[in-house]
Amino acid sequence: MPKKKNPPKKQSVERKEPKKQLSISAIEEGTVIDHIPTDATFKVVDILKLNEHPGIVSIATNLNSMTLGKKGIIKVASKLLTESEFNKISVVAPEATVNIIRNFNVRQKIKVKIPDFIENVIKCSNPVCITNSEKVRTKFYITEKRPIKVKCHYCERLIKKEDIGIV
Ligand SMILES: [Zn+2]
């Protein structure tokens, strides 16, 4: 069988990329969440329900970070975060920075903060807790911040960071 001729090899004089950061595109209006621990990146995606977001979403993980080792970044066009979303993100990514972008520029940089009390964010891991049997908004006190530990207002169960589930 006659072999197909291989297409001529592309000359490997590829032009140098002008800027490294182009690999994740800039957004005109929206929100950039930076300094997410790499393993929490997709939790933030879930929290923000970005699978349903109609605008551009760019997600990068395993980026080198001076402070976190590896980090994730999420860029979401045409979206501003609600207070509840801020609180949820603080639970899974306490070091995250939220940048509000207007006209391709950072207009505001906000560090998320874990509140002392959090409502309707964390799921109680106690199966007999009233919040799991009835439609009750969950309420938790943050008893420790680093690493985060919370206590259910209703059943007083203490939940450690690794067991925290998001509503
Ligand atoms: Zn409970």
Side-chain angles (χ1 to χ4, degrees):
M1 207 157 61
K3 259 193 189 164
K4 251 192 188 164
K5 244 193 179 171
N6 283 332
K9 264 198 184 147
K10 257 194 190 161
Q11 290 226 321
S12 57
V13 247
E14 276 171 33
R15 258 174 273 145
K16 274 199 178 151
E17 295 256 336
K19 274 182 192 167
K20 267 270 160 62
Q21 63 259 38
L22 286 180
S23 54
I24 178 163
S25 61
I27 53 173
E28 187 175 355
E29 309 274 346
T31 303
V32 175
I33 305 148
D34 195 1
H35 298 108
I36 307 168
T38 227
D39 58 353
T41 310
F42 286 94
K43 285 186 197 160
V44 176
V45 170
D46 286 345
I47 286 169
L48 300 179
K49 299 193 167 72
L50 295 179
N51 56 330
E52 295 163 12
H53 184 65
I56 294 172
V57 178
S58 307
I59 301 162
T61 59
N62 292 317
L63 303 170
N64 290 323
S65 157
M66 299 280 263
T67 48
L68 296 170
K70 296 275 177 194
K71 68 167 183 178
I73 293 183
I74 301 172
K75 300 188 177 189
V76 192
S78 322
K79 179 176 174 69
L80 294 175
L81 304 189
T82 64
E83 200 187 328
S84 142
E85 288 171 332
F86 261 101
N87 286 340
K88 289 181 183 183
I89 291 171
S90 79
V91 173
V92 300
E95 316 289 339
T97 316
V98 177
N99 301 282
I100 314 287
I101 312 294
R102 293 263 151 76
N103 202 14
F104 293 106
N105 287 313
V106 176
R107 276 298 152 84
Q108 212 184 338
K109 218 178 188 57
I110 308 158
K111 263 201 93 86
V112 304
K113 242 173 80 188
I114 304 174
D116 297 319
F117 175 77
I118 208 161
E119 226 176 324
N120 216 27
V121 166
I122 296 166
K123 223 154 111 177
C124 189
S125 62
N126 177 2
V128 299
C129 178
I130 184 169
T131 60
N132 286 315
S133 52
E134 280 167 47
K135 274 208 159 176
V136 178
R137 286 165 70 86
T138 68
K139 292 180 185 178
F140 279 87
Y141 304 98
I142 285 63
T143 57
E144 274 171 53
K145 295 203 171 172
R146 258 146 237 249
I148 189 168
K149 204 174 188 184
V150 298
K151 185 176 165 191
C152 179
H153 168 76
Y154 296 99
C155 70
E156 305 204 316
R157 172 173 286 212
L158 277 166
I159 308 177
K160 284 188 295 179
K161 177 181 182 262
E162 50 272 30
D163 301 321
I164 291 177
I166 302 291
V167 168

